[in-house]
Amino acid sequence: MEKKQKRYFLAEEEIPTQWYNIQADMATKPLPPLHPETKEPLTVDDLAKIFPRECCVQELDTEHAWIDIPQDVLDKYKFFRSTPLVRAYALEEALGTPAHIYFKNESVNPLGSHKINSALPQCYYAKQEGTTNVTTETGAGQWGMALSYASKLYGLEAAVYQVKITMQQKPYRSTVMRTFGAAVTGSPSMSTRAGKDIITRDPRHPGSLGTAISEAVELAQTTPNTKYTLGSVLNHVALHQSIIGLEAEKQMEKAGEYPDTVIACFGGGSNFGGLAFPFMRHNILNGKQTEFIAAEPASCPKLTRGQFRYDFGDEAGYTPLLPMFTLGHNFKPSNIHAGGLRYHGAGVIVSQLLKDGMMRGEDIPQLESFDAGMLFARTEGIVPAPESCHAIAATIREANKCKETGEEKVILFCLSGHGLIDMPSYEQYLNGDLQNYAITDEDVAKNLAELDELV
Amino acid sequence: MEKKQKRYFLAEEEIPTQWYNIQADMATKPLPPLHPETKEPLTVDDLAKIFPRECCVQELDTEHAWIDIPQDVLDKYKFFRSTPLVRAYALEEALGTPAHIYFKNESVNPLGSHKINSALPQCYYAKQEGTTNVTTETGAGQWGMALSYASKLYGLEAAVYQVKITMQQKPYRSTVMRTFGAAVTGSPSMSTRAGKDIITRDPRHPGSLGTAISEAVELAQTTPNTKYTLGSVLNHVALHQSIIGLEAEKQMEKAGEYPDTVIACFGGGSNFGGLAFPFMRHNILNGKQTEFIAAEPASCPKLTRGQFRYDFGDEAGYTPLLPMFTLGHNFKPSNIHAGGLRYHGAGVIVSQLLKDGMMRGEDIPQLESFDAGMLFARTEGIVPAPESCHAIAATIREANKCKETGEEKVILFCLSGHGLIDMPSYEQYLNGDLQNYAITDEDVAKNLAELDELV
């Protein structure tokens, strides 16, 4: 591999100064969020009761394709951005594929994932509006760590509800949050009404993003001067994450290539939307025909087996009703190690794009995801987060197809985070203790049938 | 901090293609390593019985200031190099210091530390020479992780002896090594004669770099086609690490500054020498007056309280006799969390430079190191390795002096690694369970007196 360039960076003055809002360019605009009682579309004022107002404006903005990144956020982005775009020569060689594989390496961000890209603006806006406290949920803990750091930078107090099973699987994550001064509680907990209800119904509930969101929202609603922040699913989060794809677009240009296939793992859609939307823009506006693949766990397959309908974003039914591909907000995901992907629904924008055939989902069994992660680690030297392993597995599937057909496709995926605090998961894999969790169409249908009575 | 550049990179064609060997420029050459029995200076042939031959040539080379980096190693360096040089604006602001603080961020390397810089060439040379297996020791585990990855890249089998106390304190590290296919054993173990002897003398021995080196050397000596590799202390390791300082020199130039003070934490000298020597070259040859500070733990203070003399590099006395500042190879360090700094002696080059007044040591109590690490994390967003916390603490001392005097000194330190797999240490700190370990001059004298009978 002599003389071939491995990594591409942007100079600080080349870093994008605006985020990209795909809502403005979508042929079919996303359906609005609805008030759970009245079923009326929600306004900025409604949403601003729990979220920072500017985030709510962004959430409902279907007009402006480009939104300025505040100067202060840009300055803090430069602590770690641009992240490298990397050509995965060693992985290509191990696969023997003619494909050109690139990855956007968000694992070198502070705390090891892409989550900081949205934590900074959410805390910035909260601070600007005079908020003193923020609450949030976290699945794998990557978002909780990022939010904890961002809140410390902006002088906000942070309370984080972390999915209980992840807290047990990966205890280092809560220590990182506490290192940044956050208060961390395992969810479901006895500290909220929602948590008490869930525990009463199911004393051994392992927690999910759905339970943690309920508790964090309740705490925000019942505490003065407090706003709720969310690490994925919502439109404004994908907006902030578009910095990933906008950088990658410029970096691919430096590499002299354009992706035929863009791949990211999928929980609620933040790293997927972040990488994909800026490239999808060229499919919408400029006749490009890039393929977009969202890699989800086979045990939590809302894109490949879910139903498009209005549903709650959380377990307790506190959030607005969102139009999403969902397994039902009452869905209790298996205890897979990719905690960040254990969410019942897909974000509103992605759900509409999937419905419109602009992208597709692909479901990855847990063992295949770790096989892929191991190969990536042993070639490229970065131990990937269990979530990111799904993107790698989907990439390997595509690269192997190219091996069969001989196509030199350009594949770009998002390495959303490293897995160095997920080592207990790898330990189980190495010991042969990991398994696949199957989910049948009947399971999904049963869950959605229950839902019909609830929503 | 608007508009000010935060990070400096090198283009791939700017990455140095030679390492810097300070031995060639030293006014007083280091004393030679001696055969423990005959007390005769050792030759390349002697050393090549346990180390890759090319490393032995480099070890004893006092003539050539510049040594070519093999093309294959350069290609693999480009997986992650250059690492960013970062201006620590947020830390400066928190300290209210007029000093300009820069750090070389080796924490974004694969596996999170600078150790990969020497693991790659050591495995490359071993492979070139037809070796099939490598052994090594590891303290904190950073070196063991890097060596495990490098050996996998070069198709070598790796056996790692990890200090037992660190294995218990930070279990994730051995999982990372196993992820790369290495066999990991806690030291002292019952798998070697050296280990058995140590355990017999002291059944509760927590292990040290000294015990782990003995076991790894013994395994190499008693296994066909096997070479021993070392992560610090030796001259060729500092040579490979000079890539850090050579890059930093070019990057400081891009920043338009030159360091008044260069700081790194100190275990055996690999990250210190790596950052410092290329700058020290200009003190020797070009009349610069940069100050060099090696930050060591107050509980393992060989630079500030040790004696300059010949001593063994390991607990069992297998290694050559090395001329070093030492606390005695029989020194049993306290169970501090900076496992990489728990070593009784300083590398040969650094020992000579210290003797000649070219640098100084500074000892940092454990709690001060974690105080510094916490401040760094909460400002710059990177949780530092406990080892690196020592460099940060020394940097803060210097920056606070500048605050008193008003001097705008330029301080450059090495962030040798991140601490994301060291979170149990932070957990103890946050819970108030960490303590300082004092060591008196009497303790040191007693230890060295015992040594006189042994060596």
Side-chain angles (χ1 to χ4, degrees), chain A residues 123-161:
Chain A
C123 287
Y124 168 80
Y125 292 127
K127 183 70 178 183
Q128 288 292 104
E129 295 168 18
T131 300
T132 54
N133 317 304
V134 287
T135 73
T136 199
E137 88 301 329
T138 191
Q142 302 267 28
W143 166 250
M145 299 197 315
L147 196 273
S148 300
Y149 168 54
S151 62
K152 175 55 69 178
L153 265 191
Y154 283 110
L156 301 165
E157 294 299 316
V160 181
Y161 284 94

Side-chain angles (χ1 to χ4, degrees), chain B residues 222-334:
Chain B
T222 56
T223 313
N225 225 0
T226 300
K227 286 290 161 72
Y228 169 66
T229 63
L230 189 68
S232 190
V233 180
L234 295 179
N235 304 344
H236 66 273
V237 183
L239 172 74
H240 304 155
Q241 294 293 354
S242 69
I243 189 79
I244 302 174
L246 293 169
E247 280 185 3
E249 192 185 334
K250 291 188 179 190
Q251 289 164 310
M252 290 296 304
E253 210 171 301
K254 286 181 196 261
E257 306 221 68
Y258 191 88
D260 298 301
T261 309
V262 171
I263 298 173
C265 66
F266 194 89
S270 83
N271 95 94
F272 175 80
L275 179 66
F277 294 169
F279 290 100
M280 206 179 279
R281 172 170 175 264
H282 297 295
N283 277 28
I284 298 173
L285 303 179
N286 305 321
K288 291 278 187 191
Q289 300 204 309
T290 297
E291 187 180 35
F292 297 92
I293 302 173
E296 65 181 4
S299 58
C300 195
K302 58 252 183 184
L303 298 177
T304 51
R305 289 170 185 240
Q307 195 178 55
F308 184 79
R309 54 165 295 162
Y310 271 98
D311 193 8
F312 289 111
D314 68 324
E315 171 91 11
Y318 286 167
T319 70
L321 286 167
L322 299 171
M324 44 162 60
F325 275 89
T326 180
L327 300 163
H329 70 273
N330 53 339
F331 180 77
K332 207 165 71 180
S334 313

